Short mmCIF file of all heavy atoms in Angstrom, two decimals:
data_model
loop_
_atom_site.label_atom_id
_atom_site.label_comp_id
_atom_site.label_asym_id
_atom_site.label_seq_id
_atom_site.Cartn_x
_atom_site.Cartn_y
_atom_site.Cartn_z
N ALA A 1326 21.65 -8.27 -17.09
CA ALA A 1326 20.59 -7.28 -17.31
C ALA A 1326 20.60 -6.90 -18.78
O ALA A 1326 21.56 -7.21 -19.50
CB ALA A 1326 20.81 -6.04 -16.45
N ARG A 1327 19.54 -6.21 -19.20
CA ARG A 1327 19.52 -5.75 -20.59
C ARG A 1327 20.68 -4.77 -20.80
O ARG A 1327 21.02 -3.99 -19.94
CB ARG A 1327 18.19 -5.05 -20.92
CG ARG A 1327 17.05 -6.02 -21.16
CD ARG A 1327 15.78 -5.29 -21.50
NE ARG A 1327 15.29 -4.53 -20.37
CZ ARG A 1327 15.44 -3.22 -20.19
NH1 ARG A 1327 16.05 -2.49 -21.11
NH2 ARG A 1327 14.98 -2.63 -19.11
N GLU A 1329 21.44 -1.80 -22.86
CA GLU A 1329 20.81 -0.84 -23.78
C GLU A 1329 21.81 -0.25 -24.76
O GLU A 1329 21.46 0.06 -25.89
CB GLU A 1329 20.08 0.25 -22.98
CG GLU A 1329 18.87 -0.34 -22.24
CD GLU A 1329 18.18 0.63 -21.29
OE1 GLU A 1329 18.54 1.82 -21.26
OE2 GLU A 1329 17.28 0.17 -20.56
N TYR A 1455 20.89 -13.41 -21.24
CA TYR A 1455 20.02 -12.80 -20.23
C TYR A 1455 18.62 -12.47 -20.80
O TYR A 1455 18.51 -11.86 -21.88
CB TYR A 1455 20.64 -11.51 -19.65
CG TYR A 1455 19.59 -10.81 -18.83
CD1 TYR A 1455 19.24 -11.30 -17.57
CD2 TYR A 1455 18.83 -9.77 -19.36
CE1 TYR A 1455 18.19 -10.76 -16.87
CE2 TYR A 1455 17.78 -9.22 -18.65
CZ TYR A 1455 17.46 -9.72 -17.41
OH TYR A 1455 16.41 -9.21 -16.73
N GLY A 1456 17.59 -12.78 -20.06
CA GLY A 1456 16.17 -12.59 -20.37
C GLY A 1456 15.82 -11.62 -21.48
O GLY A 1456 15.59 -12.00 -22.62
N GLY A 1457 15.77 -10.33 -21.14
CA GLY A 1457 15.29 -9.34 -22.08
C GLY A 1457 16.12 -9.24 -23.36
O GLY A 1457 15.63 -8.74 -24.37
N ASN A 1458 17.35 -9.72 -23.32
CA ASN A 1458 18.17 -9.71 -24.53
C ASN A 1458 17.88 -10.89 -25.44
O ASN A 1458 18.19 -10.85 -26.63
CB ASN A 1458 19.67 -9.80 -24.16
CG ASN A 1458 20.21 -8.51 -23.55
OD1 ASN A 1458 19.64 -7.44 -23.75
ND2 ASN A 1458 21.30 -8.62 -22.82
N LEU A 1460 15.00 -13.54 -24.90
CA LEU A 1460 13.64 -14.06 -25.06
C LEU A 1460 13.00 -13.12 -26.08
O LEU A 1460 12.40 -12.10 -25.73
CB LEU A 1460 12.90 -14.07 -23.73
CG LEU A 1460 13.66 -14.78 -22.59
CD1 LEU A 1460 12.90 -14.70 -21.28
CD2 LEU A 1460 13.95 -16.22 -22.97
N LYS A 1463 9.65 -11.08 -26.15
CA LYS A 1463 9.31 -10.12 -25.10
C LYS A 1463 9.60 -8.69 -25.55
O LYS A 1463 8.82 -8.09 -26.29
CB LYS A 1463 10.06 -10.49 -23.82
CG LYS A 1463 9.52 -9.87 -22.57
CD LYS A 1463 10.24 -10.40 -21.34
CE LYS A 1463 9.73 -9.83 -20.03
NZ LYS A 1463 8.29 -9.86 -19.82
N LYS A 1464 10.73 -8.11 -25.13
CA LYS A 1464 10.97 -6.71 -25.44
C LYS A 1464 11.21 -6.50 -26.93
O LYS A 1464 10.77 -5.50 -27.51
CB LYS A 1464 12.15 -6.18 -24.61
CG LYS A 1464 11.88 -6.24 -23.09
CD LYS A 1464 10.71 -5.40 -22.72
CE LYS A 1464 10.08 -5.66 -21.37
NZ LYS A 1464 10.74 -5.45 -20.15
N LEU A 1468 7.53 -5.28 -27.98
CA LEU A 1468 7.63 -3.83 -27.80
C LEU A 1468 8.34 -3.12 -28.95
O LEU A 1468 7.78 -2.22 -29.56
CB LEU A 1468 8.29 -3.49 -26.46
CG LEU A 1468 7.42 -3.81 -25.24
CD1 LEU A 1468 8.14 -3.44 -23.95
CD2 LEU A 1468 6.07 -3.10 -25.30
N ARG A 1469 9.57 -3.52 -29.29
CA ARG A 1469 10.30 -2.72 -30.28
C ARG A 1469 9.68 -2.89 -31.67
O ARG A 1469 9.29 -1.91 -32.31
CB ARG A 1469 11.80 -3.05 -30.25
CG ARG A 1469 12.43 -2.70 -28.89
CD ARG A 1469 13.93 -2.63 -28.91
NE ARG A 1469 14.42 -2.49 -27.53
CZ ARG A 1469 14.86 -3.49 -26.78
NH1 ARG A 1469 14.94 -4.73 -27.27
NH2 ARG A 1469 15.25 -3.27 -25.53
N HIS A 1484 4.75 -0.81 -22.58
CA HIS A 1484 5.41 -1.45 -21.45
C HIS A 1484 4.51 -1.28 -20.22
O HIS A 1484 4.80 -0.48 -19.33
CB HIS A 1484 6.78 -0.79 -21.23
CG HIS A 1484 7.67 -1.49 -20.24
ND1 HIS A 1484 8.69 -0.85 -19.59
CD2 HIS A 1484 7.72 -2.78 -19.83
CE1 HIS A 1484 9.32 -1.72 -18.80
NE2 HIS A 1484 8.74 -2.89 -18.93
N PHE A 1504 5.20 1.63 -15.80
CA PHE A 1504 6.30 2.04 -14.93
C PHE A 1504 7.58 1.48 -15.55
O PHE A 1504 7.56 0.37 -16.07
CB PHE A 1504 6.18 1.44 -13.51
CG PHE A 1504 4.85 1.61 -12.84
CD1 PHE A 1504 4.44 0.68 -11.90
CD2 PHE A 1504 4.02 2.68 -13.13
CE1 PHE A 1504 3.21 0.81 -11.26
CE2 PHE A 1504 2.80 2.82 -12.49
CZ PHE A 1504 2.39 1.88 -11.55
N PRO A 1505 8.69 2.20 -15.44
CA PRO A 1505 9.95 1.67 -15.97
C PRO A 1505 10.32 0.33 -15.31
O PRO A 1505 9.72 -0.06 -14.31
CB PRO A 1505 10.96 2.75 -15.61
CG PRO A 1505 10.15 3.99 -15.46
CD PRO A 1505 8.84 3.55 -14.91
N SER A 1506 11.32 -0.33 -15.86
CA SER A 1506 11.76 -1.63 -15.36
C SER A 1506 12.07 -1.56 -13.87
O SER A 1506 12.67 -0.60 -13.39
CB SER A 1506 13.00 -2.07 -16.12
OG SER A 1506 12.71 -2.13 -17.49
N ALA A 1507 11.65 -2.59 -13.15
CA ALA A 1507 11.87 -2.71 -11.71
C ALA A 1507 11.28 -1.55 -10.92
O ALA A 1507 11.84 -1.09 -9.93
CB ALA A 1507 13.37 -2.89 -11.40
N LYS A 1510 5.56 -2.91 -11.61
CA LYS A 1510 4.43 -3.41 -12.42
C LYS A 1510 3.94 -4.78 -11.94
O LYS A 1510 2.75 -4.98 -11.71
CB LYS A 1510 4.82 -3.51 -13.92
CG LYS A 1510 4.99 -2.16 -14.59
CD LYS A 1510 5.29 -2.30 -16.07
CE LYS A 1510 6.57 -3.04 -16.37
NZ LYS A 1510 7.77 -2.44 -15.78
N THR A 1511 4.88 -5.72 -11.79
CA THR A 1511 4.49 -7.08 -11.40
C THR A 1511 3.75 -7.04 -10.06
O THR A 1511 2.71 -7.67 -9.90
CB THR A 1511 5.74 -7.98 -11.30
OG1 THR A 1511 6.38 -7.99 -12.57
CG2 THR A 1511 5.37 -9.39 -10.89
N ASP A 1534 1.66 -8.36 -16.59
CA ASP A 1534 2.56 -7.64 -15.67
C ASP A 1534 3.65 -6.85 -16.37
O ASP A 1534 4.48 -6.23 -15.72
CB ASP A 1534 3.20 -8.61 -14.67
CG ASP A 1534 4.41 -9.31 -15.25
OD1 ASP A 1534 4.41 -9.60 -16.47
OD2 ASP A 1534 5.37 -9.56 -14.50
N ASP A 1535 3.67 -6.86 -17.73
CA ASP A 1535 4.80 -6.18 -18.38
C ASP A 1535 4.44 -5.54 -19.72
O ASP A 1535 4.99 -4.51 -20.06
CB ASP A 1535 5.95 -7.18 -18.58
CG ASP A 1535 7.30 -6.52 -18.78
OD1 ASP A 1535 7.65 -5.63 -17.99
OD2 ASP A 1535 8.00 -6.87 -19.75
N GLU A 1553 1.79 -11.97 -23.56
CA GLU A 1553 2.63 -12.99 -22.94
C GLU A 1553 1.79 -14.06 -22.25
O GLU A 1553 0.60 -13.89 -22.02
CB GLU A 1553 3.58 -12.34 -21.92
CG GLU A 1553 4.49 -11.30 -22.55
CD GLU A 1553 5.60 -10.85 -21.62
OE1 GLU A 1553 5.36 -10.04 -20.70
OE2 GLU A 1553 6.72 -11.32 -21.82
N PHE A 1557 8.13 -12.83 -16.02
CA PHE A 1557 9.57 -12.87 -15.80
C PHE A 1557 9.82 -11.80 -14.75
O PHE A 1557 10.09 -10.65 -15.07
CB PHE A 1557 10.28 -12.58 -17.13
CG PHE A 1557 11.79 -12.66 -17.07
CD1 PHE A 1557 12.43 -13.81 -16.64
CD2 PHE A 1557 12.56 -11.59 -17.47
CE1 PHE A 1557 13.82 -13.88 -16.61
CE2 PHE A 1557 13.95 -11.64 -17.44
CZ PHE A 1557 14.58 -12.79 -17.01
N VAL A 1559 11.07 -9.84 -11.03
CA VAL A 1559 12.22 -9.53 -10.17
C VAL A 1559 12.08 -10.29 -8.85
O VAL A 1559 11.05 -10.19 -8.18
CB VAL A 1559 12.25 -8.01 -9.86
CG1 VAL A 1559 13.39 -7.67 -8.90
CG2 VAL A 1559 12.36 -7.19 -11.13
N ASN A 1625 18.97 -7.93 -10.00
CA ASN A 1625 18.06 -8.17 -11.13
C ASN A 1625 17.83 -9.68 -11.33
O ASN A 1625 17.52 -10.12 -12.42
CB ASN A 1625 18.61 -7.53 -12.41
CG ASN A 1625 17.59 -7.48 -13.53
OD1 ASN A 1625 16.40 -7.26 -13.29
ND2 ASN A 1625 18.03 -7.71 -14.76
N ARG A 1627 15.80 -13.13 -11.23
CA ARG A 1627 14.38 -13.24 -11.64
C ARG A 1627 13.87 -14.67 -11.54
O ARG A 1627 14.63 -15.62 -11.42
CB ARG A 1627 14.24 -12.76 -13.08
CG ARG A 1627 14.66 -11.28 -13.23
CD ARG A 1627 13.88 -10.55 -14.27
NE ARG A 1627 14.21 -9.14 -14.24
CZ ARG A 1627 13.33 -8.15 -14.41
NH1 ARG A 1627 12.07 -8.41 -14.62
NH2 ARG A 1627 13.71 -6.89 -14.38
N THR A 1687 17.37 1.65 -12.32
CA THR A 1687 17.37 0.47 -11.45
C THR A 1687 18.33 -0.59 -11.99
O THR A 1687 18.97 -0.40 -13.01
CB THR A 1687 15.97 -0.15 -11.39
OG1 THR A 1687 15.64 -0.63 -12.70
CG2 THR A 1687 14.93 0.84 -10.93
N ALA A 1689 17.69 -3.21 -13.46
CA ALA A 1689 17.20 -3.94 -14.65
C ALA A 1689 17.96 -3.56 -15.91
O ALA A 1689 17.79 -4.18 -16.94
CB ALA A 1689 15.70 -3.70 -14.83
N GLN A 1690 18.76 -2.51 -15.83
CA GLN A 1690 19.59 -2.16 -16.99
C GLN A 1690 20.97 -1.71 -16.51
O GLN A 1690 21.11 -1.23 -15.40
CB GLN A 1690 18.93 -1.08 -17.86
CG GLN A 1690 18.61 0.25 -17.20
CD GLN A 1690 17.34 0.23 -16.37
OE1 GLN A 1690 17.36 0.59 -15.21
NE2 GLN A 1690 16.24 -0.20 -16.95
N PHE A 1707 12.48 0.83 -25.31
CA PHE A 1707 11.66 -0.14 -26.05
C PHE A 1707 10.91 0.42 -27.25
O PHE A 1707 10.24 -0.33 -27.96
CB PHE A 1707 10.64 -0.78 -25.10
CG PHE A 1707 11.25 -1.35 -23.85
CD1 PHE A 1707 10.87 -0.89 -22.59
CD2 PHE A 1707 12.23 -2.32 -23.93
CE1 PHE A 1707 11.45 -1.41 -21.43
CE2 PHE A 1707 12.81 -2.85 -22.78
CZ PHE A 1707 12.42 -2.39 -21.52
C1 SPV B 512 12.46 -5.17 -17.92
O1 SPV B 512 13.66 -4.94 -17.75
O2 SPV B 512 11.62 -4.26 -18.14
C2 SPV B 512 11.95 -6.55 -17.81
C3 SPV B 512 12.92 -7.63 -17.74
O3 SPV B 512 10.75 -6.77 -17.85
S1 SPV B 512 13.61 -7.99 -19.28
O4 SPV B 512 12.84 -9.09 -19.88
O5 SPV B 512 14.96 -8.40 -19.06
O6 SPV B 512 13.54 -6.85 -20.16
#
Side-chain angles (χ1 to χ4, degrees):
R1327 283 181 293 101
E1329 292 173 7
Y1455 170 75
N1458 287 338
L1460 308 178
K1463 198 175 181 49
K1464 298 299 162 65
L1468 290 181
R1469 297 196 188 98
H1484 190 203
F1504 310 152
S1506 302
K1510 290 183 298 302
T1511 301
D1534 82 325
D1535 200 49
E1553 300 191 283
F1557 183 57
V1559 177
N1625 192 37
R1627 299 213 173 218
T1687 65
Q1690 59 280 127
F1707 308 120

